[in-house]
């Protein structure tokens, strides 16, 4: 959860906020990010999106917390991604069975960095961020790109996801 991490990051910068205040602010930032993530197709666009997300966060924080030094660093530091504990072992087992594994995600261009940081990148054969492709799940075109990257036909693929509307509907459409 990013709210406790945001409280921690802001405290490191000398500003105290309550967890509920951090939760409201990070909630506003997340909503903005989700509405605009597909604009971050390259490094420059990602930097611009992060600056805008930081402004949204700043505006949503209590007045006493808006002038924090390096608020963007606090925001990025609060976004701590880690896989569920079983994921690396499951991916290794699937690869040992000869399966090709491709991540197809509604994410900005930083998807590859996040996969690196979490240690998952060496466990998959490729990754496709919706921002890079210009289409988002459930658009079947994103799934088709994933199938091509995996080198398999749709009938040979087993999609795994957590969002019925985006993942199941998109996979079925592809």
């Amino acid at each position: 959860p990013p709210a406790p991490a945001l409280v921690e990051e802001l405290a490191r910068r000398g500003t105290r906020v309550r967890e509920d205040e951090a939760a409201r602010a990070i909630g506003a930032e997340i909503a903005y990010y989700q509405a605009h993530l597909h604009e971050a197709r390259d490094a420059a666009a990602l930097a611009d999106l992060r600056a805008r997300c930081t402004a949204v966060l700043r505006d949503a924080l209590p007045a006493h917390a808006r002038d924090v030094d390096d608020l963007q660093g606090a925001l990025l530091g609060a976004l701590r991604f880690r896989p569920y504990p079983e994921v690396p072992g499951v991916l290794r087992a699937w690869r040992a069975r000869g399966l090709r594994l491709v991540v197809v995600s509604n994410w900005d261009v930083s998807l590859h960095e996040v996969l690196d940081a979490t240690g998952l990148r060496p466990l998959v054969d490729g990754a496709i961020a919706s921002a890079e492709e210009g289409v988002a799940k459930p658009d079947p075109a994103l799934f088709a790109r994933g199938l091509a990257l995996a080198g398999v036909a749709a009938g040979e693929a087993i999609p795994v996801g957590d969002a019925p509307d985006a993942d199941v509907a998109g996979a079925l459409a592809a």
Side-chain angles (χ1 to χ4, degrees):
L6 182 59
V7 169
E8 180 184 312
E9 292 290 334
L10 292 173
R12 284 188 192 146
R13 290 159 175 83
T15 300
R16 303 243 179 250
V17 296
R18 295 187 320 261
E19 192 169 319
D20 65 308
E21 294 170 326
R24 275 193 302 277
I26 200 80
E29 183 279 332
I30 289 170
Y32 183 86
Y33 170 81
Q34 289 177 334
H36 297 275
L37 71 94
H38 297 101
E39 298 166 14
R41 297 182 68 136
D42 57 34
L46 178 61
D48 178 66
L49 176 60
R50 286 178 173 169
R52 289 183 284 136
C53 286
T54 301
V56 168
L57 180 69
R58 184 179 317 281
D59 290 345
L61 283 168
H64 75 275
R66 293 182 182 157
D67 292 326
V68 173
D69 286 334
D70 190 24
L71 184 57
Q72 184 169 317
L75 169 59
L76 295 177
L79 302 175
R80 302 171 184 171
F81 299 101
R82 57 188 171 272
Y84 291 108
E86 68 276 8
V87 168
V90 169
L91 295 179
R92 283 186 196 94
W94 285 347
R95 288 191 88 181
R97 296 177 91 181
L99 298 178
R100 296 205 23 96
L101 307 174
V102 175
V103 176
V104 176
S105 184
N106 282 349
W107 204 286
D108 64 57
V109 71
S110 73
L111 173 64
H112 308 285
E113 295 168 18
V114 172
L115 290 172
D116 280 336
T118 59
L120 296 178
R121 190 161 184 165
L123 303 177
V124 299
D125 297 298
I128 299 167
S130 56
E132 294 171 315
E133 297 298 317
V135 296
K137 295 187 290 183
D139 190 312
L142 195 61
F143 288 89
R145 177 74 177 98
L147 292 167
L149 187 58
V152 299
E156 300 171 301
I158 302 169
V160 177
D162 63 355
D165 291 342
D167 295 320
V168 176
L172 290 172

